[in-house]
Amino acid sequence: GSFSEYDLEIDPLETHNIEFRFDGNELKEGIYVTKVVINAGKITKVIPIVISVVGKEKALFDVEVRIPSGSSEVKAGGKATANVLLFNLGKIGEISSQIEYKILDLEGNVITSEVENQIVETQFQTLKNLDIPLFLKSGKYIFAVEVKYFDGTKERIPSASAIFNVGDKPALEIPSTFGLDLNQPIILFA
């Protein structure tokens, strides 16, 4: 798949419909991220585009990712939290799966990730926390979940995602680059 840049100029109060078409025939199952950037004078608006490519065959799992209320904005150095729910859509018995939790930027780069193996019979639910690096820039990010399993003939990767924001100020104070001995006098210069 590819996406080319498209420039469009419109006058104030004018509207214009833009149609996006994505061809996922050559893509593997999983999550793909891009963005649309709209500039209007000094104002820039970034619209995240997240596409979950699924196979033509029915998947054994449905995956759901939701950011809990109060967790839609985190600070750098904090934790991104998502409620992750997997449903078994029909196979009886236990299914061995590998769950990958990822934080992605709007370029599709992996910021951080964790992988765990899980046996799922009917459903699996977890409240997952991923550490946000201290020096991550503010903006929109994607909490993505991909579940890998073997369906008897091939590997399948159902996926889901949710968008959250990283705020401007870090969750932790950055330590100063000098030491302070409280047993010594402190001299301030004006």
Side-chain angles (χ1 to χ4, degrees), residues 141-157:
Y141 291 85
I142 312 300
F143 196 117
V145 176
E146 294 181 334
V147 181
K148 295 179 183 176
Y149 68 92
F150 188 72
D151 73 359
T153 58
K154 67 178 183 173
E155 183 180 73
R156 300 294 307 274
I157 311 175

Side-chain angles (χ1 to χ4, degrees), residues 6-130:
Y6 178 62
D7 288 327
L8 172 70
E9 291 186 27
I10 59 174
D11 293 325
L13 303 177
E14 181 183 2
T15 62
H16 188 82
N17 292 327
I18 300 172
E19 182 177 310
F20 294 96
R21 293 181 187 205
F22 298 94
D23 180 1
N25 287 325
E26 302 297 320
L27 298 175
K28 292 181 181 180
E29 288 182 306
I31 292 180
Y32 296 86
V33 179
T34 190
K35 63 186 174 184
V36 173
V37 180
I38 300 171
N39 293 311
K42 295 180 180 179
I43 300 171
T44 298
K45 182 76 174 169
V46 177
I47 302 170
I49 306 289
V50 183
I51 300 168
S52 183
V53 175
V54 296
K56 294 179 182 177
E57 306 85 16
K58 183 178 177 184
L60 295 180
F61 285 118
D62 188 20
V63 184
E64 197 174 282
V65 176
R66 293 201 175 146
I67 304 295
S69 62
S71 297
S72 61
E73 178 148 341
V74 298
K75 303 295 183 192
K79 293 188 181 294
T81 302
N83 188 16
V84 178
L85 185 57
L86 307 180
F87 294 101
N88 180 335
L89 296 176
K91 182 177 178 188
I92 297 179
E94 296 178 339
I95 301 170
S96 179
S97 63
Q98 182 183 68
I99 305 171
E100 184 173 14
Y101 307 94
K102 300 188 271 192
I103 302 298
L104 305 171
D105 65 15
L106 297 186
E107 303 295 328
N109 299 310
V110 177
I111 304 300
T112 188
S113 69
E114 286 184 21
V115 175
E116 69 182 29
N117 293 315
Q118 189 70 42
I119 303 292
V120 180
E121 190 165 348
T122 56
Q123 72 177 25
F124 168 76
Q125 183 172 3
T126 187
L127 191 63
K128 187 66 180 177
N129 294 303
L130 290 177

